[in-house]
């Protein structure tokens, strides 16, 4: 561990040492750069085979080298001794590492060649961080605490700016700072730039602390919005400074306040406008899926730049763009694009965050900017700290009068202590105009010290403080679904009780908004198909299902193949010999193909939850496998019959706009048809009326639903399978029961290939196959408690096998004959689409 | 009305003492009660069903039922009432009263338990102390019924998955002979222990007359 860190450091050091003299050496020779051709003619007599063209690539090269170094820095910080990392937050470590790197650069150049320049920061590093923060904002939490957040962000920031500025000015007048060339307005300007809590620093620290969600959203939301507010305040005071003291009258002040409002709200509305644009755009990007993810970034950045152009608040603009678009964008875009966006967003944000902290460190190693004024610096630190606390308590006290759940004193302490200043303050300080503010360098160095102090010291002490104060932590629960259900129920209950009391309160507004949103906004901004299944509960459920499916598949693969090991020894061996390697390749492909196919057709409609996450192809194979084995047909034959050999040549095709998987409709079609044919055959041959019921989708054009016919004559068959499937044909919950079987005898009874037992029997006799063959669909599939409570005998073994991630829940159900009859009414096999 | 003025006031004080509401709140609720019952003495189900805002609430049946559930009246007996008086009305609503500031931890726990008990009773329709899968399914179905696209099957699937989650957390690994009947109150408390229900299951009861208050923060 440690050695890798040193290695990384060494490498970084080496790079910097190597690159910098190089730049220096070359850039000194300006004339060479000016006339490269001239030089070439002079030095070279013939055709050069290779030339060293540093200047051609200098700028991008340097940029990329620094990005690389930042990446290495992050790597080394993360890989660092875990003891250190648990004490010092990452942001602090990066800054310290920046000091070192800066020292090296300075040592090589005798000047700081690399600095965090405000344009770089504001145009290239900040936007994606803000976009990321807002795009992943927990919206419900944010909006339900919006009032408090706005109070803190707007009034809190103004309070901080005003009090720090005024107090410093007071102290200056009292003569504490000696002789400085600063007036009241400059102090206020300084106060405004130092006022804002920085989202980058706050997220970096609070992410590691895991405080409770309300506290987190208050601090986080505040830091996000007050950045916008600070920039606006800064601009107003900057304008005042430019105007000069004597020319400011009441009208100008009024204009300043007015401009504050316009800039802040204008920016927010602009962001909402862009969010609408983005949502509308993603409605119609179905055919350019591969680039639709890009729109999120482009439009977000556009929102930022447009606001900047209109001198509105760019930060607020991009914030609201991200917050408002997330829901619709996520629903409209293809799931893969959503994943792309998420990852790319995190990548960009994390990258720039690393760069920012690193450069905050590097920048400090520069003799030019350091101007020391003990009084000014220490007093700033003191005031920043104290007024943050006073402000927080003051505004919380006011808020608590209205809040249903008061913010506790402990939370207030953490909030005040979490007032970390960061790169925004530095960026604004570096933006100051030296002509107007003679003491610019003093302000920069003070800002830097405040930043270091808050990020490093407060960052380090934050965790112990949170522990010591016993701040309520974020509850971590693995009960995802039930929690959501309960939350949903809560919302309705609270709204209902408010209705009964005849009170128009929070819940009334929330519900009214939800209804409006559902009826009009979603209609406008969402694809109709996306609207159908955007329910939150459903998406959670869907996600869990997917997770399980992935687990299941990977588990299967880890164990060699997806459960092709069967109890039938001979077949197994045969299979292993002949298809061992081939199969491993083919199988996943098919699975991907099938699932894509299905998803593609359904467009992720509700059915996909119900859809067993195990693709039907593979399952069917097993079903067939199993039965045929009973008839002594070997696996070889089976595979030939049922496995579609993936046409591999498609996979090597390069396409810029598509991933090659599943692009060939014929291929998919063929797989599908084969599968269906074999199903039909098995159906006929066994006369057991077994059909894989895959979907419940009544709403599809292509109905893949196969009822679960259930005509086992002697009534001893144990129907088992996906209950939802059966539900298609039945009316009441009672019938919809399902059942994993247990006293299942091979070859008898009804099988739903979906749940074929040997699906999950990767070894010859896995533990759960001992007495009976067990069914192992994916975890989530099992989690549809497969029984009818009425007939529930027991909720049988919650088996968690050691070699499978699947936990088992099987109910022992002996279905009565009546049920079978009921089912048999729906005993027809629907295979229409298959043979079309 | 005028002659019996002292009667209500006395009753209000009693209720205020019992339920923790302030007198003003009780008065407001009384106004509302009279409004709901159309000046009758007792509240029946259809009165609540007529509340227009409630019409769109997917789980209104359960909520209305909760008002007539004897278990929520602090009585030991089970069963349902056909009509309730003002006292019962206020008692039920007092479950949604935010806890007073500076409540001791012990008391907070009780409050939490009471609130949970209320929720539990709401789900446990047959009063047997266990939320069975069937009961829970009905809840979830109703909960999701506003999304017409989410069919009953989906609701069921979700319920089952949720139930399984509960089972796997509360019971852990079950032996082959074990049988998961449903969620008991203890398990219910366990699964909701992280949800700070005492801070969530609250609504604002204003001291002002509700008819004049049109909005609130």
């Amino acid at each position: 561990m440690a050695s890798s860190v040193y290695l990384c450091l060494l490498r970084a050091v080496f790079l910097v040492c190597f690159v910098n003299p190089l730049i220096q050496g070359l850039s000194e020779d300006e004339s060479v750069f000016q006339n490269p051709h001239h030089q070439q003619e002079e030095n070279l007599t013939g055709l050069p085979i290779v030339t060293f063209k540093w200047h051609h690539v200098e700028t991008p090269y340097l940029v990329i080298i620094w990005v690389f170094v930042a990446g290495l820095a992050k790597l080394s910080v993360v890989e660092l001794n875990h003891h250190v990392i648990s004490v010092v937050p990452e942001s602090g470590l990066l800054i310290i590492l920046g000091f070192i790197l800066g020292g090296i650069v300075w040592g090589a150049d005798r000047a700081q060649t690399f600095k965090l320049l405000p344009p770089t920061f504001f145009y290239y590093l900040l936007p994606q961080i803000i976009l990321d923060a807002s795009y992943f904002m927990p919206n419900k939490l944010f909006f339900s605490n919006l009032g408090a957040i706005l109070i803190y962000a707007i009034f809190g920031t103004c309070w901080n700016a005003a009090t720090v500025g005024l107090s410093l000015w007071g102290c200056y007048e009292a003569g504490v700072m000696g002789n400085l060339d600063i007036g009241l307005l400059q102090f206020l300007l300084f106060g405004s730039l130092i006022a804002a809590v920085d989202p980058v620093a706050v997220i970096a620290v609070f992410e590691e602390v895991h405080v409770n969600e309300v506290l987190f959203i208050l601090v986080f939301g505040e830091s996000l919005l007050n950045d916008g507010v600070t920039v606006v305040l800064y601009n107003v005071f900057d304008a005042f400074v430019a105007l000069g003291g004597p020319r400011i009258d009441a009208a100008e002040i009024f204009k300043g306040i007015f401009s504050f409002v316009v800039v802040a709200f204008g920016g927010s509305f602009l962001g909402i406008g862009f969010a609408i644009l983005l949502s509308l755009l993603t409605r119609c990007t179905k055919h350019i899926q591969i680039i639709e993810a890009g729109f999120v970034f482009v439009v977000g950045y556009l929102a930022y730049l447009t606001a900047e152009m209109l001198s509105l608040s760019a930060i607020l603009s991009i914030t609201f763009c991200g917050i408002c678009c997330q829901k619709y964008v996520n629903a409209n875009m293809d799931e893969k694009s959503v994943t792309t966006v998420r990852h790319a967003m995190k990548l960009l944000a994390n990258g720039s965050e690393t760069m920012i902290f690193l450069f905050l460190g590097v920048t400090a190693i520069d003799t030019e900017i350091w101007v020391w004024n003990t009084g000014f610096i220490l007093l700033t630190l003191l005031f920043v700290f104290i007024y943050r606390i006073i402000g927080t308590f003051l505004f919380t006290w006011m808020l608590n009068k209205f809040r249903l759940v008061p913010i506790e004193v402990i939370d207030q302490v953490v909030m005040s202590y979490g007032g970390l200043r960061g790169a925004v303050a530095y960026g604004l300080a570096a933006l100051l105009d030296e002509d107007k503010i003679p003491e610019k360098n003093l302000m920069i160095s003070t800002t830097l010290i405040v930043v270091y102090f808050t990020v490093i010291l407060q960052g380090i002490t934050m965790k112990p403080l949170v522990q010591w104060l016993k701040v309520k932590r974020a509850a971590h629960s693995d009960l995802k679904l039930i929690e959501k259900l309960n939350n949903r129920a809560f919302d309705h209950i609270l709204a209902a009780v408010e209705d009964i009391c005849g009170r128009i309160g929070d819940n009334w507004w929330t519900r009214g908004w939800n209804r409006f949103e559902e009826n009009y906004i979603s209609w406008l901004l969402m694809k109709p198909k996306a609207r159908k299944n955007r329910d939150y509960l459903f998406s959670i459920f869907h996600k869990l299902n997917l997770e399980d499916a992935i687990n299941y598949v990977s588990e299967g693969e880890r164990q060699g193949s997806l459960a092709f090991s069967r109890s039938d020894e001979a077949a197994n061996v045969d299979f292993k010999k002949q298809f061992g390697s081939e199969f491993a390749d083919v199988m996943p492909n098919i699975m991907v193909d099938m699932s894509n196919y299905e998803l593609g057709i359904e467009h992720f409609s509700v059915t996909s939850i119900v859809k067993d996450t195990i693709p039907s192809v593979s399952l069917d194979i097993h079903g067939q496998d199993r039965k045929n084995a009973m008839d002594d047909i070997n696996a070889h034959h089976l595979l030939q019959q049922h496995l579609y050999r993936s046409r591999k040549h498609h996979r090597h095709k390069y396409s810029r706009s598509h991933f090659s998987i599943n692009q060939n409709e014929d291929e998919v079609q063929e797989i599908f048809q084969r599968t269906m044919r074999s199903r039909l055959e098995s159906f006929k041959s066994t006369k057991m009326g077994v059909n894989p019921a895959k979907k419940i989708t009544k709403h599809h054009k292509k109905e893949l639903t196969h009822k679960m016919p259930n005509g086992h004559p002697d009534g001893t068959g144990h129907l088992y399978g996906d209950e939802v499937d059966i539900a298609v044909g039945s009316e009441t919950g009672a019938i919809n029961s399902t059942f994993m079987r247990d006293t299942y005898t091979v070859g008898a009874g009804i099988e739903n290939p979906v749940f074929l037992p040997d699906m999950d029997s990767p070894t010859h006799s896995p533990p759960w196959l001992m007495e009976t063959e067990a069914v192992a669909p994916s975890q989530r599939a099992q989690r549809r408690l497969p029984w009818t409570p009425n007939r529930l005998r027991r909720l049988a073994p919650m088996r968690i096998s050691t070699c499978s991630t699947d936990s088992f829940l099987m109910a022992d159900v002996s279905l009565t004959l009546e049920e079978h009859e009921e089912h048999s009414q729906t005993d027809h096999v629907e295979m229409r689409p298959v043979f079309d | 009305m005028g002659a019996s003025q002292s009667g209500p006031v006395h009753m209000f004080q009693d209720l205020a003492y019992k339920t923790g509401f302030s007198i003003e709140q009780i008065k407001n609720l009384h106004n509302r009660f009279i409004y709901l019952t159309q000046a009758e003495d007792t509240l029946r189900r259809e009165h609540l069903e007529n509340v227009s805002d409630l019409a769109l609430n997917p789980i209104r049946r359960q909520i209305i039922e909760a008002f007539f559930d004897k278990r929520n009246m602090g009585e030991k007996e089970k069963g349902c009432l056909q009509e309730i008086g003002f006292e019962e009305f206020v008692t039920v609503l007092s479950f949604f009263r935010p806890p007073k500031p500076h409540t001791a931890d012990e008391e907070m726990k009780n409050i939490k338990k009471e609130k949970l008990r209320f929720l539990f009773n709401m789900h446990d329709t047959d009063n047997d102390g266990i939320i069975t899968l069937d009961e829970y399914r009905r809840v979830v179905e109703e909960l999701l019924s506003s999304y017409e696209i989410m069919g009953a099957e989906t609701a069921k699937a979700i319920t089952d998955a949720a139930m399984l989650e509960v089972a796997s957390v509360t019971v852990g690994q079950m032996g082959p002979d074990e049988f998961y009947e449903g969620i008991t109150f203890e398990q219910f408390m366990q699964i909701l222990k992280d949800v700070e229900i005492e801070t969530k299951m609250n609504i604002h009861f204003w001291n002002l007359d509700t008819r004049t208050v049109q909005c609130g923060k």
Side-chain angles (χ1 to χ4, degrees):
Chain A
M1 189 63 69
S3 66
S4 74
V5 174
Y6 294 129
L7 200 68
C8 290
L9 277 174
L10 258 176
R11 232 183 297 172
V13 167
F14 168 75
L15 274 167
V16 173
C17 295
F18 173 70
V19 169
N20 280 305
L22 208 64
I23 308 160
Q24 281 316 109
L26 287 171
S27 57
E28 273 161 20
D29 199 351
E30 277 295 311
S31 62
V32 176
F33 182 54
Q34 303 291 332
N35 301 311
H37 292 288
H38 185 66
Q39 181 217 15
Q40 238 173 36
E41 278 163 32
E42 267 180 3
N43 295 349
L44 299 165
T45 48
L47 183 76
I49 295 171
V50 278
T51 47
F52 185 67
K53 299 197 278 188
W54 165 250
H55 291 289
H56 283 255
V57 293
E58 179 177 349
T59 315
Y61 205 89
L62 280 180
V63 169
I64 214 69
I65 282 289
W66 272 109
V67 171
F68 182 63
V69 168
L72 288 182
K74 176 108 175 170
L75 180 73
S76 55
V77 161
V78 171
E79 291 293 316
L80 206 65
N81 194 328
H82 286 284
H83 187 67
V84 177
I85 230 171
S86 63
V87 176
V88 187
E90 213 181 292
S91 45
L93 282 174
L94 281 170
I95 290 183
I96 294 168
L97 201 61
F99 290 156
I100 300 170
L101 286 178
I104 294 163
V105 172
W106 197 81
D109 290 2
R110 290 285 137 204
Q112 190 49 268
T113 348
F114 303 100
K115 280 188 207 175
L116 187 57
L117 296 173
T120 318
F121 172 70
F122 282 109
Y123 292 136
Y124 304 114
L125 293 176
L126 188 62
Q128 56 264 45
I129 295 183
I130 307 283
L131 186 64
D132 169 76
S134 55
Y135 187 79
F136 291 99
M137 177 74 74
N139 267 357
K140 194 183 162 198
L141 204 58
F142 178 75
F143 283 110
S144 57
N145 290 294
L146 188 61
I149 292 172
L150 283 179
I151 298 263
Y152 288 126
I154 298 175
F155 296 102
T157 309
C158 293
W159 156 269
N160 277 350
T163 48
V164 171
L166 287 174
S167 309
L168 281 175
W169 179 69
C171 293
Y172 169 67
E173 290 290 305
V176 183
M177 298 170 205
N179 201 11
L180 287 174
D181 189 6
I182 305 183
L184 172 61
L185 280 173
Q186 278 93 335
F187 272 118
L188 284 174
L189 179 61
F190 177 69
S192 72
L193 73 86
I194 205 86
V197 175
D198 184 71
V200 187
V202 164
I203 299 165
V205 169
F206 272 72
E207 226 169 34
E208 297 174 21
V209 183
H210 304 296
V211 291
N212 63 70
E213 53 179 16
V214 174
L215 178 57
F216 179 76
I217 203 72
L218 286 180
V219 178
F220 178 44
E222 181 207 349
S223 66
L224 201 54
L225 294 188
N226 75 8
D227 262 4
V229 176
T230 323
V231 176
V232 179
L233 262 186
Y234 173 85
N235 286 336
V236 170
F237 280 114
D238 200 34
F240 280 161
V241 170
L243 267 178
R247 287 176 55 199
I248 296 170
D249 51 15
E252 293 295 336
I253 291 174
F254 180 75
K255 263 160 71 185
I257 295 171
F258 186 67
S259 121
F260 176 86
V261 175
V262 169
V263 169
F265 284 89
S268 312
F269 284 116
L270 189 75
I272 294 173
F274 272 99
I276 293 173
L277 173 76
L278 180 56
S279 309
L280 285 175
L281 250 181
T282 50
R283 265 189 76 146
C284 37
T285 49
K286 194 182 164 207
H287 298 293
I288 48 163
Q289 250 173 37
I290 214 79
I291 62 162
E292 70 183 348
F295 279 121
V296 178
F297 300 95
V298 173
V299 175
Y301 197 41
L302 211 54
Y304 188 85
L305 291 182
T306 312
E308 192 70 42
M309 181 179 75
L310 298 173
S311 78
L312 299 174
S313 170
I315 296 177
L316 287 178
S317 171
I318 199 169
T319 303
F320 278 92
C321 180
I323 289 180
C324 296
C325 79
Q326 51 166 268
K327 177 175 178 184
Y328 309 104
V329 166
N330 282 340
N332 283 342
M333 285 197 309
D334 186 77
E335 200 150 310
K336 284 182 211 133
S337 309
V338 173
T339 316
T340 313
V341 170
R342 296 167 72 91
H343 286 247
M345 195 85 89
K346 286 289 169 212
L347 168 74
L348 289 175
N350 242 308
S352 15
E353 190 188 278
T354 312
M355 297 283 290
I356 288 172
F357 283 121
L358 197 67
F359 271 97
L360 273 180
V362 171
T363 311
I365 312 298
D366 187 4
T367 42
E368 267 178 41
I369 57 163
W370 288 107
V371 178
W372 191 264
N373 181 319
T374 317
F376 186 79
I377 291 173
L378 287 186
L379 280 174
T380 308
L381 269 179
L382 181 74
F383 289 142
V384 161
F385 191 68
I386 285 184
Y387 285 119
R388 166 82 186 170
I389 295 176
I390 296 178
T392 309
F393 276 82
L394 185 71
F395 291 110
T396 314
W397 175 75
M398 290 186 338
L399 277 171
N400 274 349
K401 294 196 168 248
F402 297 98
R403 280 183 74 91
L404 194 56
V405 186
I407 299 164
E408 287 169 37
V409 179
I410 289 175
D411 288 3
Q412 294 176 40
V413 172
V414 175
M415 272 182 76
S416 345
Y417 201 71
L420 308 178
R421 269 51 167 194
V424 172
Y426 168 74
L428 290 175
L431 263 184
L432 290 172
D433 186 352
E434 207 153 350
D435 298 336
K436 284 183 265 176
I437 296 145
E439 301 289 351
K440 176 185 172 183
N441 278 341
L442 176 61
M443 289 190 181
I444 293 184
S445 35
T446 311
T447 310
L448 279 176
I449 286 177
V450 172
V451 171
Y452 299 146
F453 180 81
T454 53
V455 171
I456 300 178
L457 283 185
Q458 284 181 218
I460 291 173
T461 43
M462 178 63 88
K463 218 182 238 175
L465 182 81
V466 166
Q467 275 159 1
W468 181 65
L469 287 175
K470 298 199 181 68
V471 176
K472 271 187 208 154
R473 300 297 193 94
H476 184 74
S477 165
D478 38 352
L479 290 164
K480 291 172 188 138
L481 207 50
I482 194 134
E483 202 175 283
K484 303 295 173 215
L485 280 174
N486 276 322
N487 284 345
R488 179 70 62 90
F490 268 165
D491 292 347
H492 285 304
I493 292 169
L494 292 183
V497 174
E498 274 191 356
D499 289 339
I500 289 171
C501 298
R503 195 187 149 264
I504 295 174
D506 299 336
N507 297 302
W508 189 88
W509 288 108
T510 316
R511 202 189 33 187
W513 162 254
N514 283 344
R515 224 168 267 160
F516 173 74
E517 199 261 1
E518 205 162 294
N519 291 339
Y520 301 102
I521 301 184
S522 295
W523 172 80
L524 180 69
L525 297 181
M526 261 193 211
K527 282 183 192 171
K529 273 162 194 146
R531 273 206 300 281
K532 280 183 185 170
N533 63 336
R534 75 206 167 75
D535 185 273
Y536 190 57
L537 274 175
F538 165 69
S539 59
I540 294 271
F541 187 52
H542 179 59
K543 234 177 269 164
L544 293 173
N545 269 339
L546 279 182
E547 223 169 78
D548 283 344
I550 291 167
N551 281 345
Y552 178 77
V553 170
S554 55
E555 183 64 19
E557 279 169 354
R558 195 176 66 75
Q559 301 185 356
S561 70
L562 272 174
F564 256 73
S565 44
R566 306 174 2 77
S567 47
D568 188 316
E569 205 74 19
N572 215 345
V573 172
D574 189 19
F575 165 68
K576 285 247 158 94
K577 266 186 203 153
Q578 305 201 12
F579 293 88
S581 57
E582 209 173 337
F583 176 69
D585 288 335
V586 174
M587 202 56 197
N589 295 348
I590 288 177
M591 304 196 65
V592 170
D593 286 345
M594 267 324 277
S595 54
N596 278 347
Y597 179 66
E598 285 162 6
L599 295 180
I601 297 242
E602 323 292 348
H603 295 287
F604 285 102
S605 77
V606 180
T607 59
S608 38
I609 28 160
V610 185
K611 178 177 57 112
D612 192 338
T613 38
I614 301 168
S616 53
V617 177
S618 58
L619 286 163
D620 195 37
I621 291 161
H622 302 308
Q624 200 61 33
D625 189 9
R626 207 172 151 285
K627 267 176 257 163
N628 289 355
M630 295 315 295
D631 303 336
D632 242 333
I633 298 173
N634 68 26
H636 187 131
H637 176 221
L638 259 174
L639 284 169
Q640 273 188 336
Q641 208 180 344
H642 302 287
L643 263 187
Y644 180 84
R645 302 275 176 86
S646 170
R647 291 171 186 170
K648 291 203 169 176
H649 55 275
H650 288 302
R651 311 199 142 255
H652 300 301
K653 199 172 70 181
Y654 171 78
S655 161
R656 183 164 293 147
S657 49
H658 298 291
F659 291 110
S660 52
I661 297 170
N662 190 32
Q663 288 307 307
N664 188 336
E665 278 299 312
D666 291 345
E667 181 175 330
V668 173
Q669 203 61 36
E670 192 181 333
I671 295 173
F672 192 70
Q673 289 190 5
R674 275 188 186 219
T675 314
M676 286 309 156
R677 204 178 307 132
S678 63
R679 281 184 183 174
L680 189 66
E681 275 164 16
S682 73
F683 172 71
K684 283 176 186 162
S685 65
T686 54
K687 287 176 188 158
M688 280 194 242
V690 173
N691 268 288
K694 282 304 285 180
K695 328 215 152 220
I696 50 152
T697 58
K698 290 169 179 166
H699 354 268
H700 301 300
K701 288 169 276 167
K702 282 225 170 192
E703 190 158 316
L704 301 183
T705 311
H706 309 290
K707 302 284 163 54
M708 182 90 120
N710 192 349
H712 201 334
D714 58 16
T716 55
H718 298 277
L719 179 59
Y720 77 97
D722 185 341
E723 67 162 331
V724 186
D725 305 333
I726 304 164
V728 174
S730 47
E731 301 289 330
T732 63
I735 323 173
N736 301 343
S737 37
T738 318
F739 352 75
M740 310 237 155
R741 35 61 58 136
D742 89 327
T743 55
Y744 188 95
T745 47
V746 180
I750 293 129
E751 306 162 353
N752 180 351
V754 177
F755 283 73
L756 273 179
D758 35 12
M759 257 322 273
D760 197 45
S761 45
T763 58
H764 289 228
S765 52
W768 61 86
L769 282 185
M770 294 304 222
E771 37 171 7
T772 64
E773 285 181 14
V775 183
S778 75
Q779 264 172 325
R780 200 64 47 177
Q782 295 166 13
R783 291 201 177 187
R784 291 177 222 135
L785 286 201
W787 75 89
T788 307
N790 308 347
R791 304 196 178 79
L792 184 72
R793 301 280 187 279
R794 64 192 168 96
L795 185 63
M798 187 88 93
R799 304 186 198 177
I800 298 168
S801 77
T802 45
C803 43
S804 162
T805 52
D806 290 345
S807 62
F808 262 64
L809 184 79
M810 302 197 307
D812 177 10
V813 177
S814 323
L815 286 178
T816 59
L817 192 55
E818 298 98 84
E819 275 178 278
H820 287 258
E821 279 164 4
E822 271 173 39
H823 282 298
S824 57
Q825 290 168 1
T826 60
D827 250 358
H828 55 287
V829 185
E830 290 182 13
M831 285 194 179
R832 286 175 278 125
V834 180
F835 299 108
D836 282 349
Chain B
M1 203 67 166
S4 59
Q5 198 64 34
S6 67
V9 169
H10 186 68
M11 186 179 86
F12 288 174
Q13 274 166 353
D14 258 10
L15 276 176
Y17 175 74
K18 249 195 264 177
T19 58
F21 284 115
S22 71
I23 303 272
E24 287 79 17
Q25 285 168 336
I26 300 257
K27 274 181 193 158
N28 285 334
L29 289 176
H30 192 242
N31 287 338
R32 180 67 185 173
F33 184 76
I34 289 171
Y35 172 81
L36 283 176
T37 55
Q38 285 142 4
E40 286 175 39
D41 283 343
T42 56
L43 184 76
R44 288 188 305 279
R45 283 182 177 77
E46 60 260 31
H47 290 139
L48 288 181
E49 275 154 16
N50 288 336
V51 178
S52 61
D53 285 330
L54 214 53
L56 287 168
N57 200 317
I59 52 170
R60 64 182 170 282
R61 186 191 58 82
Q62 300 167 34
I63 294 158
I64 292 175
E65 218 42 59
F67 275 87
F68 298 93
D69 194 326
K70 279 187 190 163
R71 287 173 296 175
N72 293 337
M73 313 297 172
E75 297 168 30
K76 284 275 172 270
E77 55 185 313
K78 294 167 179 178
C80 281
L81 298 165
Q82 287 313 307
E83 49 182 30
I84 54 168
F86 180 59
E87 191 181 337
E88 286 83 15
F89 181 69
V90 175
T91 312
V92 172
L93 285 179
S94 70
F95 282 103
F96 294 91
R97 189 176 55 79
K100 293 203 169 70
H102 313 300
T103 315
D105 279 356
E106 197 57 36
E107 202 175 332
M108 206 60 145
K109 259 182 208 156
N110 281 337
I111 292 174
K112 179 169 182 169
K113 200 168 172 182
E114 269 171 35
K115 286 181 192 260
L116 282 175
R117 175 64 79 175
F118 180 84
L119 286 180
F120 184 81
N121 288 346
M122 191 179 263
H123 292 341
D124 178 23
T125 40
D126 65 358
N127 298 345
D128 63 356
I130 287 175
I131 303 177
T132 59
L133 184 69
D134 242 4
E135 284 168 343
Y136 201 61
R137 268 188 187 161
R138 220 169 304 140
V139 176
V140 176
E141 257 168 54
E142 282 180 15
L143 199 58
L144 298 176
S145 60
S146 54
Y147 297 87
E148 69 281 358
I149 190 68
M150 303 250 290
E153 300 88 0
T154 314
K156 233 166 261 128
I158 290 180
T159 319
D160 294 350
M163 203 71 163
L164 198 74
E165 268 185 359
V166 178
S168 63
V169 168
T170 53
V171 184
Q173 205 162 340
M174 279 195 285
D177 301 325
E178 276 180 86
F179 157 61
Y180 191 63
E181 292 171 10
I183 309 171
T184 63
F185 184 60
E186 281 65 36
Q187 290 169 349
F188 193 71
M189 289 209 294
Q190 192 187 340
I191 56 179
L192 289 177
K193 69 171 186 296
D194 290 332
V195 182
E196 287 165 9
I197 197 144
E198 67 273 20
T199 64
K200 280 184 180 161
M201 202 176 115
N202 298 319
I203 66 167
H204 258 299
F205 290 96
W206 286 88
N207 291 328
L208 304 168
D209 191 329
T210 46
R211 283 170 302 186
T212 57
V213 175
Q214 284 301 303
C215 66
K217 240 181 73 63

